[in-house]
Amino acid sequence: MSDLVNALASIVAVTVALTLSSLDRRTAALLGATGAVTGNFLAWLAAPGLWERSLLLPWAASVAGIVLLIAGWSAVRAYSGLFDPPSAEDPDTGAVVTAGRSAHETP
């Protein structure tokens, strides 16, 4: 039972630490809780005996889960819309516009 309490404490502590240090707190809470739970689940799935006996493995799994989830979230956000065509409201045509008289005008 103490292993479960240790895992829940690690999930809550790491999620709260991420949430308090973030500008977007709702997203940080969602990513923190999801990453910590996923990290602990995968650690328990990979090595259940070690996860139950270790005091530090749930904490490391919580941090690693959050770091990997945030890295994936950042990659998805960075590349979303990369291959979409430009929108019709974008007036940038790539042409250079100069202000003033043209060379063909006579004074």
Side-chain angles (χ1 to χ4, degrees), residues 45-79:
L45 198 62
L50 181 63
W51 186 85
E52 289 174 1
R53 290 188 304 271
S54 175
L55 290 176
L56 295 179
L57 184 61
W59 291 85
S62 292
V63 171
I66 288 176
V67 167
L68 290 174
L69 187 65
I70 289 175
W73 176 269
S74 298
V76 167
R77 286 187 49 112
Y79 291 110

Side-chain angles (χ1 to χ4, degrees), residues 1-25:
M1 185 69 173
S2 66
D3 52 346
L4 183 60
V5 171
N6 186 29
L8 290 175
S10 72
I11 291 168
V12 169
V14 173
T15 301
V16 167
L18 178 67
T19 303
L20 291 178
S21 64
S22 177
L23 295 176
D24 187 5
R25 294 207 167 142

